[in-house]
Amino acid sequence: MLSLMFIVAVTGSSGAAQGQKFRTAQDDYAAAGKLAEQSIAGALNNYESGDQLRAAIEQARRRAQEQSKLNETSEPNLDYVERLEKALRALPTGPGRPTRLDFDRAIAQESEPAWRLILQGNRNPNMPEPPKEQDLHMDFPINATFRLLAKICVRKARSELAIGNGAAALRTFRETFQFTQRIRNHSDVDRLVMVAMEAIIFAEIEKSLSALPSQGLPELIQAINSSVSGPSKLQSSLLGERINSIAFVEMTEKEFESDSKAASAYDSDPDDDEEEDEDEPKWRALMQSLGNSTPAERRIFFQNARTRLDQTYGAFGRMLSQPEFNWSFTPEATPSTSHLDFYVNFHTSLLPTVARVDAEARTRCRIAAITLAAREFAWQHGRYPTELSEFLTKAEATDPLNNKPFEYSIEQGNIVVKTAVHPILGQISLRKLPADPAAAQRPRRP
C-alpha cells in the first residue's frame, strides 16, 4: 500500500558561504550516528557478555556461508563477522571476562568521537529549517542510528555510575535527553523516533535511580520539565505531515492530468506470500472512479481533498493546543464510505494513534521529572517525601492527561509515580506496566 513520506533535512557545511547552508544540529547528530554505526561501540551495543557476542559471531558466520552457497561464484561476505571479531578482541580476556561492565566501558571509550559530535550538535544554534516542499525520499537509516546513539549513551552513563562518577552519568543523561529533543521533528516518524529515544533513557534512569547523586539532578529535572512545558511537539511534525499530504494530492492530480488511463490502473503489486490489504480494493475502486471521471470532476475532487485535509489537520492542531484531557484518541465513530472520505482518511487515519503516543510520552516525561525530584528531596532531607505536596505545587502534581493528581508511593524502597487509569491509555508509569496485573507482583530479575 502507498505510504506517506517524510521530510529529509538537507545537510550543509559548518560555515555559510553565499548560497550555502549552515551546518545544523541535525548534521552533527547524523555524523555522530554514522560514526557510531561503523564503530566497535555500535557492534558491541547489542551484547552484554562474551558468550552472547561469540554466539553472534558464529551465527553471522553460518549465515554468510549459507548465503554464499546460493551463489557458488561468490565468496562469503564476512565483513560483519570481522567487525564483531574486532569488537571481541577489544574486550578484556581472562576468567569470567569480559563482564557487562567491560562491555559498557569499551562502548563508552569507542563512542567518544560520536559523543563529541552529539555535544557539538547540542550547542549548535542552527536547527533544521521547517519543511517547505514535499520530498518523497525516505531516510530511515538516520533515525535508526539515532536510536543506536541513545542506547550507546545510556551504556556510557551506566559505566560512569559503575566507577562512582554519578555526576558524569547525570550529565550524560542530560546531554542525551537534550539530543533527543533537538533532532529534526518534521514528520510523525521523527516524533516517534524521539519518543523511542526518551523511553531508552527513562528505562535506564529507573534502573539507576538509587545510585544517582544530587549533583546534576536539578539540571536534568529542569531539562525534562522544559520538554513538556510548551506545546506538543506533534504541532511541529504536523506541519510536515500536512505538506506531505497536500503534495501527494497534487502529485496524484498531475498523474491523472498527464495520463488518466495509466494513473487509474492501480496495482500495488503485493507479495505473493502476503494477503491483500483490506484497503486495496477501496483504493483500486477510487482510482478507477477517478479514471472514469471527467477532467472537471477530477479537479473538483482533488480541490475538495485539499480543503478537507486542511480542515482535518487544522482541527487536529487546535486540539493539540489544549490540555491532554481534552485530546481525542479515537477515530470518528461513523466514517463515511465515499471516495473522498476514504482518500482523506488514508492521509489522516493515524492521527489519533500518534496523539496517543505523544500524550503517553509527555506524561512519561512528567513522571520522570517527578521521580527525580523525589530522589533530590531525599538527598536534601534524608528521607523520601510521603506525598507529592511536600515537593510539588498542586499544578505540578496534577496529571494533564486525567486532570487528576498523579499517584505517588514508596514501594519496597522504590519511588513509584503513576497516573490514574485512563479509559483509553490505561495507567502510565516510568516504565510500561504489565498487561497482566499479577506480573507486577512478581520480583524483577537482577
Side-chain angles (χ1 to χ4, degrees), residues 93-406:
T93 59
R97 309 293 291 275
T99 64
R100 188 180 79 162
L101 179 56
D102 290 329
F103 275 80
D104 292 342
R105 284 174 172 168
I107 288 172
Q109 179 178 347
E110 297 293 335
S111 64
E112 187 60 29
W115 177 248
R116 289 197 295 270
L117 280 169
I118 290 175
L119 296 181
Q120 178 175 305
N122 285 354
R123 286 147 187 77
N124 188 336
N126 301 315
M127 299 297 289
E129 294 181 359
K132 296 179 180 178
E133 59 183 17
Q134 168 82 354
D135 189 340
L136 292 179
H137 297 291
M138 303 190 76
D139 205 354
F140 282 124
I142 288 180
N143 284 318
T145 63
F146 287 171
R147 293 186 64 181
L148 171 63
L149 283 171
K151 293 178 181 179
I152 286 174
C153 288
V154 299
R155 295 192 71 167
K156 176 181 184 296
R158 196 162 73 184
S159 71
E160 290 163 340
L161 284 171
I163 62 174
N165 195 347
L170 280 172
R171 177 175 180 265
T172 297
F173 282 132
R174 178 171 52 80
E175 295 283 1
T176 306
F177 186 80
Q178 183 178 357
F179 157 47
T180 70
Q181 304 305 298
R182 301 190 84 231
I183 64 174
R184 177 194 58 209
N185 185 32
H186 294 167
S187 73
D188 289 345
V189 173
D190 294 336
R191 177 59 181 142
L192 294 176
V193 170
M194 187 185 299
V195 170
M197 294 168 68
E198 291 174 354
I200 290 169
I201 298 169
F202 292 154
E204 193 63 36
I205 285 177
E206 188 206 26
K207 296 175 186 175
S208 310
L209 190 62
S210 62
L212 297 182
S214 177
Q215 183 180 356
L217 263 183
E219 291 81 3
L220 178 57
I221 294 168
Q222 181 181 10
I224 296 174
N225 275 328
S226 295
S227 72
V228 290
S229 62
S232 161
K233 291 182 174 60
L234 272 186
Q235 289 189 337
S236 175
S237 65
L238 194 66
L239 174 62
E241 291 298 326
R242 178 195 168 279
I243 290 175
N244 279 353
S245 297
I246 298 297
F248 189 92
V249 173
E250 294 174 349
M251 179 184 70
T252 307
E253 184 174 14
K254 289 178 181 178
E255 289 176 350
F256 274 96
E257 290 175 354
S258 175
D259 188 343
S260 61
K261 184 177 180 180
S264 63
Y266 173 75
D267 183 6
S268 66
D269 192 23
D271 191 287
D272 293 339
D273 296 330
E274 296 182 2
E275 295 183 2
E276 186 177 60
D277 188 281
E278 63 178 6
D279 284 339
E280 297 288 345
K282 297 178 183 178
W283 191 265
R284 190 176 294 110
L286 168 60
M287 294 296 103
Q288 291 173 353
S289 174
L290 289 172
N292 294 331
S293 301
T294 66
E297 289 171 335
R298 283 196 294 268
R299 281 194 295 273
I300 293 174
F301 175 88
F302 287 116
Q303 181 55 50
N304 288 338
R306 283 188 285 269
T307 300
R308 286 276 303 277
L309 285 170
D310 268 333
Q311 293 172 345
T312 302
Y313 280 109
F316 188 74
R318 289 190 293 275
M319 180 197 76
L320 293 177
S321 66
Q322 303 177 41
E324 282 92 322
F325 62 79
N326 282 331
W327 289 15
S328 174
F329 301 114
T330 56
E332 295 181 7
T334 56
S336 172
T337 57
S338 73
H339 287 319
L340 180 60
D341 286 334
F342 169 74
Y343 192 69
V344 172
N345 185 63
F346 169 76
H347 293 275
T348 60
S349 61
L350 290 180
L351 291 181
T353 300
V354 296
R356 290 197 296 270
V357 172
D358 190 66
E360 183 173 337
R362 287 169 62 83
T363 301
R364 187 162 285 115
C365 282
R366 296 184 180 102
I367 290 174
I370 292 172
T371 303
L372 291 171
R375 175 65 178 145
E376 172 64 6
F377 181 97
W379 276 113
Q380 300 301 327
H381 298 85
R383 63 174 179 84
Y384 286 129
T386 56
E387 55 187 26
L388 295 177
S389 61
E390 286 193 72
F391 64 104
L392 298 178
T393 65
K394 184 177 180 180
E396 291 170 337
T398 300
D399 171 23
L401 184 61
N402 291 285
N403 204 23
K404 299 177 181 178
F406 285 100

Side-chain angles (χ1 to χ4, degrees), residues 5 11 14 41 63 84 114 254 261 265 315 382 408 420:
M5 310 304 183
T11 59
S14 56
R63 286 179 177 174
L84 290 179
K254 289 178 181 178
K261 184 177 180 180
Y408 169 83

Side-chain angles (χ1 to χ4, degrees), residues 22 48 68 75 83 87 90 203 214 244 296 317 340 368-369 393 395 410 433 435 439:
F22 281 102
E48 295 195 349
S68 68
E75 293 292 327
R83 184 168 165 236
S214 177
N244 279 353
L340 180 60
T393 65
I410 302 297
L433 293 174

